[in-house]
Amino acid sequence: MMQTVEVRVWDLRKVARSGRPVRYEVRWTVNKREWSKTYPHKAQADSFRSSLVASARAGTAFDSETGLPAGSAQAGGSSCFKVAKEMMEQKWADAAATARRTEVDNLAHLLVILIPPHRKAPDGLRLVLRALLGRETVELSAKDQDLVRWLERASLPIASVDDVTIRRVLKATAVDAEKRPYSNSVRQQRRVYLSGLFTYAVEQKLISVNPVAKVKAKHIKNDTGVTAVSPRQIGDLDTARGILENIDDLLYRDFTTCVLLAGSRPCEVAALRIQDCTLPADGWGKLLLAKSAASAGKDWTDSGEVRDDRGLKQRKVTDRRSVPIPPELVKILKIRISDRTDGPVFIGKRGTVVSDSAISRAWTAARMNNGIPPDVLPRVYDLRHLTASIWLNAGLPANVVAERLGHSTEVCLRVYAHVIESESARWNDVIERALK
């Protein structure tokens, strides 16, 4: 960490832009490198500038990496990297494996930008962060340890991050390495996890206000965190049936058919146990869903297995969800289970639960053989969306559909609003009759 007493603090500058509130900018140089920090109120800017001037006059060395007096509350406080590490260590035990993976991946993208703007993160740092965050003990190579030490020195103090820095971070993480913009959902996700980092800092009393809240989100239409499904994405029942018929492996065909006919998440079907199935000789049966087994990867699960054995999504461990299933699926499951009395319904040749990657490959191959466009039913999960749209358009009340899907009614309507067929003509007739 380099320190210097070559410091110059300039006069306060008033920044007035058309249509925007007036702000006050403090500018100074440390070892001839310019730094600045803006405030919404003049008194705040004056106070910060005065602290810089007092430190410079007292001969206090300034940190060349942060631009702040060495040993000051801001320069010596917790860095963004340190706070992120502590946060993930606290959240790790209670988080689902897929949630761990998603949050760590987003934090890794953010932390390599939460450094002084004149610096550039070294190659490979983001991968090291994905291996490090949340884990108590990690064996790193000497090269990776050097990368971690670099970030420990370069990471901005959490208290020094203002709205200008937040805008810079959001802008930098909105595009990929080739400057191609990410989708709205990815950008929204980046913002959510950035805000989460500073919310944690507020809870730990490291800062008083979350700076992300001061920055208005732009060009992100879906700010609810729930992605709506499009009619193009889910295709139609004939298309889905055609793909299913072209899946050569009967195990994979039965699995995907279960997703379609039960409307369940693939991770719930993977965790389906024989004892969860009620399969009568005739008529409708029932699945009593109790678990999910999302495929997250060995690096993210407590067990070291690929799948994460957990309860239902966003439910208590003891919660169960009853899903009626049609006779067609009852017949398929009876044949699949045969004379077995317990264990997973869908097991592969090695006696373990069928893998997501194998199912995905089978699904992709069948789609390609049928000449299906890449944006129509691209994932097995989209069969669940198709089923929900079929139920809603058949006239099932939204609360019944939501209960079978494991949603709230509000989320169900938000997700499937665009795939419910218009009943405008029907309601026009109702209004017309009422006016007579």
Side-chain angles (χ1 to χ4, degrees):
M1 183 180 294
M2 295 182 60
Q3 296 181 359
T4 180
V5 293
E6 188 178 347
V7 179
R8 179 183 177 187
V9 182
W10 295 336
D11 290 337
L12 203 64
R13 182 166 69 177
K14 183 178 180 180
V15 180
R17 296 180 181 177
S18 177
R20 296 185 181 182
V22 173
R23 298 186 66 85
Y24 298 89
E25 184 180 21
V26 181
R27 297 175 299 146
W28 72 103
T29 61
V30 177
N31 200 19
K32 298 182 180 180
R33 184 180 297 280
E34 184 175 341
W35 296 84
S36 69
K37 188 173 177 64
T38 59
Y39 291 89
H41 303 293
K42 184 178 180 181
Q44 294 174 323
D46 274 332
S47 176
F48 179 67
R49 181 182 179 278
S50 296
S51 68
L52 296 179
V53 171
S55 296
R57 287 176 177 173
T60 302
F62 277 57
D63 184 351
S64 298
E65 299 296 336
T66 66
L68 298 171
S72 69
Q74 286 180 311
S78 296
S79 68
C80 293
F81 175 44
K82 181 180 179 182
V83 174
K85 282 179 61 180
E86 293 174 353
M87 179 181 71
M88 286 310 304
E89 286 170 3
Q90 287 194 21
K91 297 174 72 172
W92 191 267
D94 296 327
T98 51
R100 295 169 179 172
R101 183 181 62 191
T102 301
E103 184 157 12
V104 167
D105 185 61
N106 278 279
L107 287 173
H109 277 84
L110 296 166
L111 289 172
V112 297
I113 308 297
L114 283 165
I115 57 178
H118 65 276
R119 308 202 68 175
K120 181 181 178 182
D123 293 339
L125 177 58
R126 201 167 68 210
L127 290 177
V128 173
L129 288 172
R130 291 187 84 250
L132 178 67
L133 292 175
R135 296 165 174 87
E136 294 182 358
T137 56
V138 180
E139 292 186 7
L140 297 176
S141 66
K143 179 181 178 181
D144 290 346
Q145 290 177 27
D146 288 341
L147 292 177
V148 172
R149 283 191 287 268
W150 183 93
L151 185 59
E152 288 174 341
R153 295 190 301 268
S155 183
L156 290 173
I158 196 85
S160 73
V161 177
D162 57 10
D163 54 336
V164 175
T165 303
I166 295 297
R167 288 189 179 90
R168 174 173 66 84
V169 172
L170 291 175
K171 181 179 180 181
T173 57
V175 295
D176 63 16
E178 297 180 3
K179 304 300 181 183
R180 294 174 301 192
Y182 286 121
S183 66
N184 281 350
S185 61
V186 171
R187 285 184 284 164
Q188 171 67 5
Q189 195 176 78
R190 294 276 193 270
R191 183 185 177 93
V192 166
Y193 286 106
L194 181 63
S195 181
L197 173 63
F198 287 93
T199 296
Y200 175 81
V202 171
E203 293 170 352
Q204 300 301 309
K205 303 187 184 307
L206 299 173
I207 55 176
S208 58
V209 179
N210 184 339
V212 181
K214 300 178 182 179
V215 179
K216 184 178 180 181
K218 295 182 179 180
H219 309 301
I220 301 179
K221 297 180 180 179
N222 176 34
D223 59 357
T224 62
V226 177
T227 303
V229 174
S230 70
R232 175 77 176 176
Q233 175 185 344
I234 63 171
D236 55 52
L237 185 58
D238 288 341
T239 301
R241 292 282 194 185
I243 298 173
L244 291 171
E245 290 173 2
N246 264 282
I247 297 177
D248 296 329
D249 192 298
L250 185 58
L251 172 63
Y252 304 150
R253 189 191 312 163
D254 288 351
F255 184 100
T256 48
T257 300
C258 188
V259 174
L260 174 67
L261 297 181
S264 301
R265 298 178 178 91
C267 62
E268 294 169 344
V269 175
L272 184 63
R273 301 168 300 179
I274 294 171
Q275 53 267 41
D276 299 330
C277 305
T278 300
L279 308 174
D282 297 300
W284 282 64
K286 182 176 68 175
L287 303 181
L288 190 63
L289 301 180
K291 286 182 170 290
S292 68
S295 183
K298 297 179 180 180
D299 293 337
W300 306 101
T301 61
D302 293 331
S303 64
E305 300 293 333
V306 173
R307 290 191 179 275
D308 190 23
D309 184 14
R310 295 183 67 86
L312 299 177
K313 184 178 180 180
Q314 297 180 347
R315 295 292 185 272
K316 296 178 181 178
V317 176
T318 56
D319 282 356
R320 303 289 184 269
R321 186 170 88 248
S322 179
V323 180
I325 57 173
E328 178 185 354
L329 183 54
V330 171
K331 181 179 179 181
I332 290 172
L333 293 180
K334 278 186 173 182
I335 297 173
R336 172 59 48 193
I337 293 171
S338 185
D339 58 353
R340 291 184 292 138
T341 56
D342 61 16
V345 172
F346 296 99
I347 55 175
K349 297 176 181 179
R350 298 179 180 179
T352 57
V353 177
V354 62
S355 75
D356 273 1
S357 58
I359 294 170
S360 180
R361 287 194 296 269
W363 178 256
T364 301
R367 287 179 67 260
M368 292 179 63
N369 290 339
N370 277 29
I372 307 300
D375 57 344
V376 177
L377 291 169
R379 309 167 303 164
V380 172
Y381 199 104
D382 292 314
L383 291 172
R384 168 178 159 88
H385 293 324
L386 173 60
T387 297
S389 71
I390 291 171
W391 290 347
L392 289 166
N393 286 314
L396 268 70
N399 64 307
V400 173
V401 174
E403 183 179 355
R404 295 188 179 198
L405 294 175
H407 281 317
S408 68
T409 303
E410 179 187 5
V411 169
C412 180
L413 290 174
R414 193 180 301 153
V415 171
Y416 299 109
H418 298 303
V419 297
I420 300 175
E421 294 174 0
S422 174
E423 296 189 68
S424 179
R426 173 188 171 188
W427 299 126
N428 288 346
D429 290 340
V430 171
I431 295 171
E432 187 175 354
R433 288 196 301 271
L435 293 174
K436 289 182 179 178

